[in-house]
């Protein structure tokens, strides 16, 4: 192991070379092929300093390869990944990144404290600095009182918190989280996102991959959707909605007494008595729709107006076909 | 319900190739290994031969002929002196060693025993028979007993052949002379002319003075086998780390794959050395193994053996795809190596072919080294070959582990 450097883990020459203007992370035209499978096909996007970015995509879209490329574990066939303006292949650049794998990448036969000490040392922390950071991490994840317990006896949520803490001990400037809340209860999810918000408020950029679209909606500043190894959407939630579905609202009506004929402009949903349509202006178009139902002899029993959300955008962009 | 349980269990077994292999193939593999060791089909060519050296200190017609007869024995492999070495005892027809050289060969384990023919003692009932000593290494507990019988037979045969060639002159044959015939019959009746077998004195040149010789032999065999088992079990942590993405996290830190493997190798070597040391300390305390007087050789052998075992374990882990696969692969490989290498049964009991195959195993070299330290009490410089082979093995294994681990870096 190289000797521990200064107060933190960043060599002076690196600190000098990093521009405050540079994006925290920049993925430039990444290509990667495994055999016949083209996992990445020119993926490009960037993450600003202090930004929270959600990275979404269906199974097999290339997310895992992308994440592994971003943290240097996969060497792309073409393209590059820049961290604060410098290639991740340069020495010590990756020290500014924290990686939280989806799996519980901790030692179950070590205590929480021993796990933190282990990963802290691997990131170059030593002696007093290490003790301080471990102590901070235990407090941050709310496990001070369980510090000396083996993690094998922890609940899923507690293990997840230790898993996250192991990746942030060295105070990374950007944090990659691969589905950090898989298999945890709502309380633990809330706690984990509170922890991440705390880090973000201190200036850490966050890249989060998740299948919980509500997490992406509420916990990110920007969303990138990838499919077939390419970025298919990149922007804020509002921007994505505007650029895909637009301002239209989905109207869902349940009705009885209707003949087989479906009122014009509506589609019968999977359920026989449910009809859906999209409207650009709810105030103007909804009364006309209800009038058509009445004339067709139907009795409206329920009515819902949905604002488009990330779920609609995601399915609109990636389709509904199963990928596995 | 019971039928469902049986059906489900069978389906699970059928869908698990490694379990199928362990259940049905591995027993046959081990049976074959032990059958090869103990029940060789080609007995004539592969039965273990006793390797001996011969010293003929007082050449006579009888001793010369006895040596010739021993050389003709198919069950013996005679070690001959180097013509230019000057270790020959005499310029007789069959070159033999000096007594001291033959004894040294036994001490070094180059031969299992040495046969020394010397001048007969005065007043011996069979005055014309040479004095025969078998200097033996009791490490091979079978050789001395078999050899004693073979030597007696050779001397008796040689004696009879010589007696036949020295037949009485015409007219002096007992049957043609009633007086001589009567004397001959009388002598036979009292047993005076009945040929007496030579007295063969067996001298244990190595184990005779040892407090508990057998334990010293087996301690290393058991220790090396369990060293391999514990090292491969511990090396499985590498696969566990890969399976739960900890390896990814480790390699995203400052740690490189080289450092990870070297760190694990150092750890396994230290643990292995402690394990071996504890076993021998226990052996010294309870079973009177003379550890204190062999510390230098023990330390050298333990260090290189533990290092090579650690490398071997890491190589197996790097080759395997999962911890479960490592479990059954290591069980098969280690048990096979232990059987062939002498950890389970002494190699001298195996056929010559299997003994040669055994030299391809890690265990055989380690056991030979410990044998030289504790049994033959040879100095450190005599362990050169064993230390060199084990060090080379360790280096090659860790290099192989590094090469196989490349796929984890690139995956």
């Amino acid at each position: 192991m190289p000797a521990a450097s200064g107060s933190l883990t960043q060599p002076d020459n690196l600190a000098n070379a990093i521009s405050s203007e540079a994006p925290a992370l920049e993925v430039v035209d990444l290509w990667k092929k495994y055999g016949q499978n083209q996992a990445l096909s020119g993926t490009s996007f960037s993450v600003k300093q202090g930004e929270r970015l959600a990275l979404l995509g269906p199974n097999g879209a290339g997310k895992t390869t992308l994440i592994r490329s971003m943290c240097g574990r996969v060497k792309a066939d073409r393209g590059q990944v820049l961290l604060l303006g410098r290639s991740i292949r340069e020495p010590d650049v990756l020290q500014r990144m924290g990686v939280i794998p989806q799996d519980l990448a901790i030692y179950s036969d070590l205590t929480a404290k021993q796990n933190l000490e282990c990963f802290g040392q691997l990131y170059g922390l030593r002696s007093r600095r290490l003790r301080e950071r471990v102590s901070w991490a235990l407090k941050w994840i709310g496990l001070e009182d369980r510090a000396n317990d083996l993690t094998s006896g922890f609940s899923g949520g507690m293990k997840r918190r230790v898993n996250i803490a192991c990746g942030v001990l060295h105070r990374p400037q950007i944090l990659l989280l691969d589905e950090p809340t898989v298999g945890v209860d709502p309380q633990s999810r809330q706690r984990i996102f509170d922890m991440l918000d705390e880090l973000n408020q201190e200036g850490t950029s966050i890249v989060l991959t998740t299948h919980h679209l509500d997490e992406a909606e509420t916990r990110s500043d920007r969303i990138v959707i990838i499919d077939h190894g390419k970025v298919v959407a990149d922007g804020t939630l509002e921007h994505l909605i505007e650029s895909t579905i637009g301002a239209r609202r989905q109207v869902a009506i349940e009705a009885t007494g209707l003949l087989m004929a479906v009122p014009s402009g509506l589609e019968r949903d999977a359920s026989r008595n449910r009809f859906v349509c999209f409207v650009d202006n709810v105030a103007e178009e909804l009364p006309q729709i209800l009038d058509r139902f009445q004339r067709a002899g139907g009795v409206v029993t329920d009515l819902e107006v949905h604002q488009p959300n990330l779920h609609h955008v995601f399915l609109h962009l990636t389709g509904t076909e199963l990928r596995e | 319900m019971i039928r469902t349980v049986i059906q489900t269990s069978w389906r699970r077994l059928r869908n698990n190739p490694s379990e199928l292999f362990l259940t049905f193939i591995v027993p046959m593999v081990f049976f074959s290994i032990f059958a090869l060791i103990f029940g060789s089909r080609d007995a004539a060519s592969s039965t273990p031969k006793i390797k001996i050296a011969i010293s003929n200190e007082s050449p006579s017609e009888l001793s010369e002929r006895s040596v010739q007869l021993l050389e003709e024995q198919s069950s013996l492999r005679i070690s001959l002196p180097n013509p230019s070495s000057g270790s020959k005892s005499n310029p007789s027809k069959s070159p033999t060693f000096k007594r001291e050289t033959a004894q040294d060969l036994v001490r070094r384990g180059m031969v299992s025993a040495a046969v020394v023919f010397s001048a007969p003692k005065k007043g011996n009932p069979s005055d014309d028979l040479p004095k025969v000593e078998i200097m033996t290494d009791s490490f091979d507990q079978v050789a001395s007993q078999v050899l004693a019988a073979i030597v007696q037979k050779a001397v008796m045969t040689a004696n009879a052949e010589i007696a036949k060639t020295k037949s009485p002159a015409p007219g002096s044959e007992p049957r043609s002379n009633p007086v001589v015939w009567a004397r001959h019959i009388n002598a036979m009746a009292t047993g005076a002319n009945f040929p007496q077998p030579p007295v063969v004195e067996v001298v244990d040149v190595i184990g005779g003075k040892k407090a508990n010789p057998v334990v010293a032999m087996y301690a290393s065999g058991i220790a090396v086998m369990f060293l391999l088992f514990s090292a491969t079990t511990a090396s499985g942590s590498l696969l566990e780390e890969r399976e739960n993405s900890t390896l990814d996290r480790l390699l995203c830190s400052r740690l490189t794959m080289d450092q990870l493997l070297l760190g694990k190798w150092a750890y396994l070597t230290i643990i292995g050395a402690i394990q071996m040391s504890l076993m021998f300390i226990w052996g010294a305390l309870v079973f009177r193994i003379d550890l204190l007087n062999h510390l230098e050789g023990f330390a050298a052998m333990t260090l290189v053996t533990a290092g090579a075992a650690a490398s071997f374990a890491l190589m197996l882990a790097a080759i395997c795809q999962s911890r479960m696969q490592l479990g059954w692969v290591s069980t098969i490989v280690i048990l096979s190596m232990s059987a062939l290498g002498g950890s389970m049964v002494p190699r001298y009991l195996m056929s010559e072919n299997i003994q040669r195959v055994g030299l391809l195993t890690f265990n055989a070299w380690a056991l030979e080294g410990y044998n030289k330290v504790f049994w033959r009490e040879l100095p450190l410089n005599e362990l050169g070959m064993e230390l060199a082979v084990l060090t080379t093995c360790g280096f090659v294994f860790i290099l192989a582990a590094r090469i196989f681990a490349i796929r984890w870096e690139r995956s």
Side-chain angles (χ1 to χ4, degrees):
Chain A
M1 288 286 295
S5 56
S7 60
L8 262 179
T9 60
Q10 300 151 8
D12 290 342
N13 59 345
L14 178 67
N16 294 337
I18 285 169
S19 161
S20 58
E21 300 296 318
L25 184 77
E26 200 172 0
V27 175
V28 185
D29 194 28
L30 275 192
W31 292 77
K32 180 70 187 176
K33 194 171 186 179
Y34 294 109
Q36 295 301 308
N37 178 30
Q38 188 71 51
L40 296 177
S41 308
T43 312
S44 296
F45 67 92
S46 64
V47 184
K48 293 176 197 155
Q49 291 188 33
E51 189 179 31
R52 296 175 304 167
L53 182 129
L55 186 61
L56 309 179
N59 292 330
K63 280 199 310 291
T64 304
T65 304
L66 179 57
I67 291 166
R68 291 171 67 81
S69 302
M70 287 193 287
C71 65
R73 292 288 297 117
V74 163
K75 192 175 180 187
D77 301 332
R78 213 166 81 199
Q80 61 176 336
V81 178
L82 302 174
L83 191 66
L84 296 158
R86 295 187 59 178
S87 168
I88 57 165
R89 298 284 162 202
E90 290 181 39
D92 291 320
V93 171
L94 274 174
Q95 297 306 306
R96 297 210 161 203
M97 182 185 282
V99 182
I100 316 294
Q102 181 183 339
D103 295 320
L104 290 168
I106 55 174
Y107 294 107
S108 58
D109 41 12
L110 292 184
T111 66
K113 190 178 176 187
Q114 288 166 342
N115 266 293
L116 292 167
E117 285 170 348
C118 164
F119 288 104
Q121 284 174 6
L122 289 174
Y123 276 103
L125 301 176
R126 293 287 184 277
S127 55
R128 192 171 66 88
R129 186 70 190 152
L130 177 65
R131 285 196 299 276
E132 281 173 6
R133 290 302 292 167
V134 168
S135 175
W136 167 84
L138 285 167
K139 192 176 173 188
W140 183 59
I141 60 179
L143 289 174
E144 284 169 298
D145 55 334
R146 303 289 301 271
N148 295 313
D149 291 355
L150 292 179
T151 53
S152 56
F154 284 7
S155 69
M158 289 157 79
K159 286 178 186 171
R160 284 271 158 212
R161 273 139 58 196
V162 176
N163 194 37
I164 293 171
C166 288
V168 300
L169 278 166
H170 60 298
R171 302 189 75 153
Q173 285 183 291
I174 183 158
L175 190 59
L176 301 187
L177 297 114
D178 190 4
E179 303 198 39
T181 57
V182 166
V184 299
D185 59 26
Q187 288 81 2
S188 289
R189 277 177 68 186
Q190 182 63 43
R191 177 64 196 244
I192 286 168
F193 280 111
D194 288 347
M195 284 160 45
L196 296 178
D197 285 346
E198 201 179 312
L199 280 183
N200 181 243
Q201 281 158 19
E202 289 172 5
T204 307
S205 307
I206 289 174
V207 177
L208 166 77
T209 76
T210 180
H211 283 298
H212 293 290
L213 298 182
D214 60 317
E215 282 180 1
E217 274 186 350
T218 57
R219 302 289 181 172
S220 67
D221 304 318
R222 198 154 58 86
I223 296 162
V224 167
I225 299 176
I226 67 166
D227 198 12
H228 302 296
K230 279 188 268 198
V231 172
V232 293
D234 180 354
T236 60
L237 177 62
E238 295 74 23
H239 172 252
L240 293 186
I241 292 171
E242 183 66 34
S243 63
T244 54
I245 298 171
R248 293 189 299 169
R249 299 286 185 268
Q250 187 191 49
V251 176
I253 296 171
E254 278 191 30
T256 57
L258 271 179
L259 300 174
M260 292 306 289
V262 178
S264 61
L266 287 112
E267 286 177 10
R268 193 186 286 274
D269 200 358
S271 164
R272 197 172 179 282
N273 294 325
R274 186 178 160 88
F275 303 85
V276 292
C277 68
F278 283 93
V279 296
D280 292 321
N281 188 325
V282 177
E284 278 183 16
E285 296 180 45
L286 189 57
Q288 295 168 14
I289 293 169
L290 293 174
D291 184 50
R292 267 181 265 158
F293 265 90
Q294 199 173 12
R295 275 189 269 141
V299 178
V300 174
T301 58
D302 198 5
L303 179 129
E304 293 170 11
V305 179
H306 296 288
Q307 186 177 11
N309 58 17
L310 188 56
H311 179 81
H312 298 112
V313 173
F314 188 81
L315 291 181
H316 178 85
L317 290 169
T318 62
T320 53
E321 190 184 339
L322 287 173
R323 300 299 179 88
E324 295 150 315
Chain B
M1 285 297 157
I2 292 171
R3 184 173 168 273
T4 307
V5 172
I6 293 170
Q7 189 183 45
T8 309
S9 303
W10 167 244
R11 283 175 175 168
R12 290 183 65 193
L13 177 66
R14 215 176 46 185
N15 293 338
N16 191 336
S18 57
E19 207 175 325
L20 270 174
F21 188 74
L22 268 179
T23 309
F24 298 114
I25 306 299
V26 171
M28 285 192 283
V29 170
F30 278 96
F31 164 70
S32 305
I33 290 170
F34 280 90
L36 279 170
I37 293 172
F38 294 110
S40 183
R41 283 164 292 177
D42 185 7
S45 65
S46 58
T47 304
K49 292 186 177 182
I50 303 170
K51 205 172 176 186
I52 65 164
I54 299 175
S55 171
N56 193 354
E57 289 188 310
S58 174
S60 63
E61 191 182 0
L62 179 56
S63 66
E64 292 278 1
R65 180 61 188 145
S66 299
V67 170
Q68 280 176 357
L69 288 170
L70 286 177
E71 285 172 348
E72 288 165 11
Q73 283 287 326
S74 61
S75 56
L76 300 180
R77 186 182 294 282
I78 315 286
S79 187
L80 295 173
N82 187 338
S84 60
S85 68
S87 59
K88 287 188 286 186
S89 62
N90 55 64
S92 59
K93 280 187 282 184
S94 299
T96 62
F97 291 98
K98 289 177 183 168
R99 167 188 281 268
E100 296 74 25
T101 312
Q103 186 169 349
D104 191 48
L105 288 174
V106 177
R107 280 202 165 280
R108 287 160 168 272
M110 310 297 283
V111 294
S112 298
V115 181
V116 180
F117 292 96
S118 50
K121 284 180 184 173
K122 298 290 177 194
N124 191 315
S126 48
D127 274 349
D128 49 346
L129 294 180
K131 182 189 172 194
V132 183
E133 283 175 83
I134 294 180
M135 292 192 287
T136 181
D137 170 5
S138 52
F139 177 74
D140 185 341
Q141 295 164 3
V142 179
S144 60
Q145 295 169 36
V146 175
L147 186 59
I150 292 174
V151 169
Q152 280 187 333
K153 181 190 166 199
V155 175
M156 292 285 283
T157 308
N159 196 20
E161 284 176 5
I162 290 166
K164 195 176 171 186
T165 58
K166 291 177 179 172
S167 56
S172 65
E173 288 170 11
R175 282 172 197 261
S176 61
N177 185 332
V179 178
V180 175
W181 178 244
R183 205 179 295 154
H184 180 73
I185 295 295
N186 190 37
M188 281 187 71
T190 58
N193 271 5
F194 198 80
Q196 296 294 314
V199 176
V200 176
E201 190 183 346
V202 177
V203 182
D204 186 354
V205 296
I206 301 180
K209 296 172 192 167
K210 289 187 170 30
N212 202 350
V214 179
V215 175
M217 284 161 50
Y218 290 109
S220 52
I222 301 290
V224 170
M225 186 168 70
F226 278 92
L227 174 69
L228 285 169
F229 271 121
S230 53
T232 45
T233 304
S235 71
S237 66
L238 200 58
L239 288 165
E240 188 185 350
E241 282 164 352
R242 185 176 178 273
E243 285 163 10
N244 67 12
S245 297
T246 308
L247 186 64
D248 268 350
R249 168 171 266 175
L250 294 173
L251 295 177
C252 283
S253 71
R254 292 182 167 200
L255 191 70
T256 64
M257 184 59 90
D258 291 337
Q259 291 169 331
L260 178 65
L261 283 178
L262 281 176
K264 286 192 180 286
W265 175 83
Y267 166 75
L268 292 175
T269 302
I270 292 166
I271 292 294
I274 293 171
Q275 184 189 7
M276 295 286 281
S277 301
L278 281 176
M279 177 131 178
F280 273 87
I281 289 169
W282 175 254
L285 292 175
V286 180
F287 299 103
R288 291 176 290 152
I289 292 176
D290 188 11
L291 179 61
L292 277 179
N293 290 321
H294 303 94
L295 275 180
E296 199 181 31
F298 170 76
M301 278 308 300
T302 299
L303 215 58
V304 291
T305 305
S311 300
F312 179 75
L314 286 172
M315 182 185 71
L316 280 187
I319 289 171
C320 290
Q321 300 290 333
S322 66
R323 202 159 184 171
M324 187 182 174
Q325 189 186 25
L326 175 67
W328 63 262
V329 167
S330 62
T331 302
I332 293 167
V333 173
I334 293 172
L335 285 181
S336 304
M337 288 201 329
S338 300
L340 289 168
S343 279
M344 293 179 175
V345 284
R347 290 179 62 232
Y348 64 77
L349 290 177
M350 301 173 192
S351 70
E352 293 209 322
N353 291 340
I354 298 293
Q355 283 189 37
R356 271 194 291 274
V357 173
L359 285 177
L360 296 176
T361 70
F362 171 92
N363 302 52
W365 291 97
L367 297 196
E368 186 54 32
Y370 280 108
N371 193 27
K372 281 186 175 177
V373 172
F374 286 100
W375 185 251
R376 305 190 190 291
E377 302 188 310
L378 297 176
L380 192 60
N381 58 2
E382 294 284 344
L383 301 175
M385 179 61 99
E386 286 74 22
L387 293 176
V389 168
L390 290 171
T391 306
T392 307
C393 283
F395 184 73
V396 170
F397 292 152
I398 194 75
L399 195 67
R402 183 64 189 88
I403 291 167
F404 281 109
I406 289 172
R407 74 184 197 280
W408 291 336
E409 290 175 294
R410 291 181 177 171
S411 62

